[in-house]
Amino acid sequence: MSGSPETEWQELLRDVQDTLGQVDGRHRQLLSGRKTWLESLRSYPVFSALSADKLAAMILRLEEFPAKTGDVVVRQNDPGDYFYIIKSGSFTVSRRRGPGEYEILAQLREGDAFGESALLSEETRNASIVADTEGALLRLSKPDFAALVKTELVRQVTPVMAKGLVLEGARYLDVRRETLGGKDVLPGALVIPIDQLRSRLAEIDPQSTYIVYCLNGNLSNTAAFVLGQRGYNVFVLKGGLGGFA
């Protein structure tokens, strides 16, 4: 595709509709509603990075289900099982800080998506998400998310390939939560703990290539997904720092 982002997105949507038109009509119900939720997904850059075939395949695998006021859609510390897209309604993201203490992190509405962090990092859910109003959610299972979305944005490189990229000007990005006083940080690496990544994006040069690493690769997958959906050119060091020599 070429041209303006608006033109490219419209071309992608037409390609998706053409692809979906060749299968059964189940997707028509998913695309129905007060407005086409697919159009609102443009605000979530990961979807514009998918090919038309992958985006269409994702739509066909989405499950729609209702959410009632007060429903706990995602519970903190539970394992990740689905990636969610809000078709309608309002949802609150909160994190438990201690007995009876909760921190409100965000309000989510139509077109917003959530749940990818636990699927990428293989860690438990880091927050709870509760329905403020009645609404509808679309969800994609963990296996389908891995096959259709994760593979598009999380590109892995071996240590040998990483060293070659660094020689060509790429830079390492260390996203571990803790380092050994900097002694185990790769040469020239930018160090931004995964929990600070979204708040420190200004420190990452959008014109540069980064090789993200952690100890075993799990946190790196999350970081690469976050950066990739924002247009940064990133790779994940396969196996993490443990496999680097």
Side-chain angles (χ1 to χ4, degrees), residues 159-199:
V160 172
M161 296 169 63
K163 291 176 182 178
L165 289 171
V166 169
L167 289 176
E168 295 175 0
R171 187 178 182 185
Y172 291 114
L173 174 58
D174 190 323
V175 295
R176 291 174 295 167
R177 291 191 172 97
E178 294 181 358
T179 62
L180 300 177
K183 296 179 181 179
D184 57 341
V185 174
L186 294 180
L190 174 63
V191 180
I192 302 180
I194 185 69
D195 297 331
Q196 302 175 25
L197 187 62
R198 287 179 173 84
S199 63

Side-chain angles (χ1 to χ4, degrees), residues 97-113:
R97 302 177 61 182
E101 295 183 23
Y102 293 87
E103 175 186 10
I104 302 299
L105 301 179
Q107 297 290 135
L108 304 177
R109 294 177 175 81
E110 181 177 352
D112 287 332

Side-chain angles (χ1 to χ4, degrees), residues 141-162:
S141 71
K142 181 178 180 178
D144 286 336
F145 177 85
L148 300 172
V149 181
K150 178 179 175 180
T151 54
E152 293 287 313
L153 287 187
V154 179
R155 301 174 294 170
Q156 295 192 338
V157 292
T158 64
V160 172
M161 296 169 63

Side-chain angles (χ1 to χ4, degrees), residues 8-41:
E8 292 180 359
W9 180 253
Q10 292 301 327
E11 290 177 355
L12 175 62
L13 291 185
R14 283 195 294 271
D15 289 343
V16 169
Q17 292 287 5
D18 289 343
T19 302
L20 292 173
Q22 299 174 27
V23 297
D24 64 54
R26 187 177 70 85
H27 69 281
R28 296 297 172 188
Q29 182 178 355
L30 290 178
L31 295 176
S32 67
R34 181 168 53 83
K35 66 178 182 179
T36 303
W37 64 265
L38 181 59
E39 186 69 44
S40 70
L41 289 184

Side-chain angles (χ1 to χ4, degrees), residues 226-243:
V226 169
L227 295 173
Q229 66 174 305
R230 288 167 171 77
Y232 291 91
N233 188 30
V234 294
F235 296 89
V236 169
L237 182 62
K238 188 175 183 178
L241 192 60

